[in-house]
Amino acid sequence: MSKSRRKMRFLLLLVFYQCVMKNVDSKRTSNPNFILIMADDIGIGDLGCYGNKTLRTPNIDKLAKGGVTFTQHIAASPLCTPSRAAFLTGRYPIRSGMAALSQIGVYLFSASSGGLPSEEITFAKLVKQKGYSTALIGKWHLGMNCVTNDDFCHHPLKHGFDYFYGLIVTNLRDCKPGQGSVFATGIQTFITMPIQFISLALITLELLHFIGLLRVSQRALGHVILLSTSFLGILLFFFYNFRYLNCFLMRNHQIVQQPLSYQNLTHRLTEEAVQFIGRNTDTPFLLFMSYLQAHTALYASKYFKGKSKHGLYGDAVEEMDWSVGQILDVLEKRNLSNKTVVYFTSDQGAHLEEVSNTGEVHGGYNGMYKGGKSTNWEGGIRVPGLLHWPGVIPHGAHIDEPTSNMDIFPTVVNLAGAHVPTDRIIDGHDLMPLLQGKIIQSKHEFLFHYCNAYLNAVRWHPRNSDAIWKAFFFTPIFYPEDSNGCYHSHVCHCHGSYIRHHDPPLLFDLSRDPEERNPLTPETEIHFYDILNVIQQAISNHTKSLHVVPDQLSWGNILWKPWLQPCCSSVFLFCYCDHESGE
């Protein structure tokens, strides 16, 4: 169906709903429950409601059929940590220090000191003040401790959640034996070379000392060897024991399983969600269901393993869909469906470079869109966006206007009867005016796309126009050259030899070229320089609104600090416990 026909159908549905809603009790639309579902690394092309014909996602598709599908729903970042920070706060991650100046843009270790600052206000904090029960089940990935291993300064419970059950960092290949390591390339690049250099230097110094060309203190040489050996030993110890140190399951402040077991993990997360809803049937609640699927290491229970047409990745997606169905079923059984806003999205696009040691594709599908996770091509940031609220918003409707995962913050806060903060810039916009037909064009005239802390691209949707201009100031260099990702480095990076700068910027009209195949030129677009001038002015205004804040993803904040290491047992048991299975 063409965009114009979809818009006409949506407007007709709105007219119908506006007539119906005149007779709906206002209590029905005040203080609803919220279930906010975020998948991990799911591509927009992985779901049936976005055109996939081979992956079975009937429960997620049910949300689309009974609600609104956003076709241009944009993640605020193409990486997990900054995208989730933006989602929770309604603000670009650059404003909170959750966008890295260094090469590493996410947290990898549980004993890092960085995280979502306590000064940031999440939607969970605000709705909790209005009497809501709040829970986060699944992945957090926004830090835990600051100074000691039990200060919990960045923990979900410090950011408005009453209950937490899940992973404080993220799911990685290193967490599951036999799945390889995400650090292999990094170790080879950043550790092997320095070790070779130090070894060569030591051998050279000893040789020069031996033949008498250079006097070297044997004591000093011994200290250097000792320090080098100690450093290497710590690194080997850490990476050998990575699974025990970083892959654990928590309930509130307590570690309940270290290392994490993948056995029936999705079922356990689902049961926690169902129980939380059951405990709060008579009180308003907000549940942030943050799935681990389909980030690697991939996993699926015996009921789903080997059942899809897309290997283990497909099994994981279909099991997640089953879990969504269980949550929808409990809403129906408890007569909560009409009182509950359900939202589904992914933190960014599919990770195309994920390929197993045996060559099996472990990444998802971004449909017709270029690129994937870690890039600001559409495949990296255009994500599923579904909103379901029976009897309040249209069903089966599509909205083609640009929207953002940052929009959930003001939407939830306003519906809960709380107040959007006025002491800071909130970059998201309340979606209800768009959903209810009070406006027909998105309030996002501009969206700024960052690669870590570097402004990578800008999207401009002029008022009273169908055009959507997107200008790139640099783009990642794909490898192999004819591929759709950065397969040599596992993810694409944001600076140095990994990128290609563009002057003038690459310019696309996404309304005519959503695949970003044909950059415009002054010869093919008469208003080429006028468009770029408007975008540059928007950048100037945006930059003036930014303030210097501590970099929460600096090297000092992301590196492993042994004194911050959480451990559920004595050192003699080496961080092992399993309160989940009773061992």
Side-chain angles (χ1 to χ4, degrees):
M1 186 184 295
S2 68
K3 285 185 179 181
S4 59
R5 289 180 64 188
R6 276 209 300 260
K7 183 175 286 188
M8 180 61 68
R9 183 173 181 268
F10 178 63
L11 290 173
L12 290 172
L13 281 169
L14 281 173
V15 171
F16 170 75
Y17 265 79
Q18 285 169 350
C19 293
V20 172
M21 288 302 294
K22 289 179 181 179
N23 299 316
V24 175
D25 191 335
S26 62
K27 291 182 179 179
R28 174 88 175 281
T29 59
S30 62
N31 303 114
N33 304 311
F34 300 98
I35 296 181
L36 310 176
I37 302 172
M38 180 173 280
D40 198 351
D41 289 3
I42 294 291
I44 195 171
D46 284 327
L47 306 178
C49 52
Y50 283 94
N52 194 298
K53 304 298 184 185
T54 53
L55 266 175
R56 295 168 295 188
T57 56
N59 296 297
I60 298 171
D61 298 345
K62 182 180 177 181
L63 293 175
K65 187 176 181 180
V68 171
T69 300
F70 297 107
T71 63
Q72 196 177 168
H73 198 52
I74 307 301
S77 171
L79 285 175
C80 305
T81 294
S83 177
R84 290 163 184 269
F87 171 69
L88 284 163
T89 64
R91 289 154 52 84
Y92 287 111
I94 190 75
R95 298 194 191 278
S96 58
M98 298 297 284
L101 289 165
S102 62
Q103 186 168 319
I104 308 300
V106 300
Y107 295 114
L108 297 171
F109 314 126
S110 63
S112 297
S113 58
L116 187 64
S118 58
E119 299 81 14
E120 289 299 312
I121 300 174
T122 66
F123 51 66
K125 277 185 182 178
L126 295 176
V127 303
K128 183 177 179 179
Q129 294 169 5
K130 301 300 291 185
Y132 276 72
S133 294
T134 57
L136 166 58
I137 295 172
K139 170 177 169 175
W140 173 239
H141 211 181
L142 294 172
M144 183 161 74
N145 295 315
C146 290
V147 180
T148 66
N149 68 353
D150 60 356
D151 61 37
F152 303 115
C153 64
H154 302 304
H155 192 277
L157 269 58
K158 283 289 182 71
H159 283 289
F161 292 101
D162 298 316
Y163 182 73
F164 170 62
Y165 179 83
L167 274 66
I168 208 72
V169 191
T170 188
N171 176 31
L172 290 172
R173 285 185 177 276
D174 302 71
C175 294
K176 190 177 182 185
Q179 295 298 305
S181 172
V182 298
F183 299 103
T185 302
I187 290 173
Q188 185 174 3
T189 303
F190 298 108
I191 296 179
T192 305
M193 286 295 291
I195 289 174
Q196 292 175 344
F197 176 79
I198 292 171
S199 300
L200 182 61
L202 290 173
I203 293 171
T204 302
L205 287 173
E206 184 64 28
L207 181 62
L208 291 174
H209 177 80
F210 179 77
I211 63 179
L213 293 178
L214 181 67
R215 292 184 62 82
V216 180
S217 168
Q218 292 297 309
R219 187 174 182 179
L221 194 61
H223 286 159
V224 172
I225 293 174
L226 179 62
L227 287 172
S228 301
T229 304
S230 299
F231 175 71
L232 179 59
I234 291 172
L235 285 177
L236 290 174
F237 169 84
F238 176 77
F239 286 110
Y240 181 77
N241 295 288
F242 182 92
R243 177 169 167 253
Y244 285 86
L245 297 174
N246 297 283
C247 310
F248 52 80
L249 193 65
M250 295 189 81
R251 177 176 283 109
N252 295 327
H253 290 141
Q254 181 187 7
I255 297 175
V256 295
Q257 192 173 59
Q258 190 173 12
L260 169 74
S261 169
Y262 287 90
Q263 185 174 3
N264 295 323
L265 181 55
T266 299
H267 288 246
R268 285 184 277 156
L269 296 173
T270 306
E271 184 59 28
E272 289 284 338
V274 169
Q275 289 178 7
F276 173 77
I277 295 169
R279 292 194 299 268
N280 293 281
T281 301
D282 299 321
T283 58
F285 65 82
L286 180 146
L287 169 62
F288 178 18
M289 189 67 183
S290 180
Y291 286 105
L292 310 185
Q293 283 110 334
H295 198 294
T296 52
L298 295 178
Y299 66 95
S301 70
K302 62 181 181 180
Y303 305 104
F304 292 90
K305 198 168 185 178
K307 301 295 176 62
S308 79
K309 296 180 180 179
H310 293 275
L312 190 53
Y313 181 87
D315 299 342
V317 173
E318 292 187 359
E319 184 168 22
M320 179 187 66
D321 179 81
W322 165 84
S323 176
V324 171
Q326 295 299 297
I327 293 171
L328 297 180
D329 285 348
V330 76
L331 291 179
E332 192 69 33
K333 290 175 183 176
R334 295 182 177 272
N335 296 317
L336 294 173
S337 295
N338 293 343
K339 303 174 185 177
T340 305
V341 178
V342 181
Y343 167 74
F344 181 91
T345 192
S346 178
D347 53 358
Q348 66 265 322
H351 193 172
L352 303 179
E353 295 91 345
E354 277 290 6
V355 180
S356 74
N357 295 334
T358 59
E360 181 181 352
V361 174
H362 278 187
Y365 177 53
N366 294 317
M368 66 178 172
Y369 301 110
K370 186 174 183 177
K373 177 178 179 176
S374 79
T375 82
N376 281 303
W377 293 112
E378 289 296 283
I381 55 176
R382 191 181 290 222
V383 293
L386 305 173
L387 205 59
H388 181 270
W389 192 4
V392 179
I393 63 173
H395 62 267
H398 290 73
I399 292 180
D400 299 319
E401 291 290 301
T403 56
S404 168
N405 65 351
M406 296 184 291
D407 296 338
I408 297 306
F409 177 93
T411 305
V412 166
V413 170
N414 286 335
L415 286 172
H419 297 289
V420 174
T422 57
D423 64 340
R424 63 198 63 204
I425 292 175
I426 301 297
D427 298 296
H429 296 291
D430 190 340
L431 290 169
M432 290 308 292
L434 189 63
L435 291 166
Q436 294 173 329
K438 295 177 181 178
I439 59 174
I440 61 172
Q441 190 166 24
S442 169
K443 292 182 180 179
H444 288 291
E445 183 176 3
F446 298 96
L447 280 169
F448 301 92
H449 306 305
Y450 282 86
C451 185
N452 287 353
Y454 306 98
L455 186 61
N456 185 186
V458 176
R459 179 183 310 248
W460 176 34
H461 184 26
R463 300 302 182 197
N464 302 314
S465 171
D466 289 331
I468 299 172
W469 309 106
K470 186 178 178 185
F472 277 96
F473 307 103
F474 63 86
T475 51
I477 298 174
F478 287 164
Y479 185 87
E481 189 174 345
D482 59 348
S483 72
N484 198 27
C486 303
Y487 288 85
H488 61 315
S489 54
H490 191 63
V491 293
C492 296
H493 296 295
C494 304
H495 61 277
S497 60
Y498 294 100
I499 63 173
R500 180 178 292 112
H501 290 275
H502 302 286
D503 188 13
L506 290 184
L507 182 65
F508 299 91
D509 180 2
L510 298 179
S511 67
R512 293 179 290 169
D513 181 21
E515 299 175 57
E516 297 172 299
R517 290 182 178 273
N518 304 301
L520 301 170
T521 66
E523 290 72 36
T524 57
E525 173 51 59
I526 190 172
H527 299 297
F528 183 85
Y529 289 108
D530 294 332
I531 295 165
L532 293 180
N533 287 338
V534 172
I535 289 174
Q536 287 294 346
Q537 184 59 53
I539 292 172
S540 177
N541 295 336
H542 170 68
T543 304
K544 290 175 184 176
S545 75
L546 301 177
H547 302 286
V548 177
V549 294
D551 181 3
Q552 296 295 327
L553 287 152
S554 65
W555 285 111
N557 276 327
I558 66 172
L559 290 178
W560 179 56
K561 297 179 179 178
W563 59 93
L564 296 183
Q565 181 60 53
C567 187
C568 68
S569 64
S570 70
V571 292
F572 300 103
L573 293 175
F574 195 74
C575 296
Y576 174 84
C577 64
D578 190 353
H579 304 301
E580 290 292 279
S581 61
E583 293 183 21

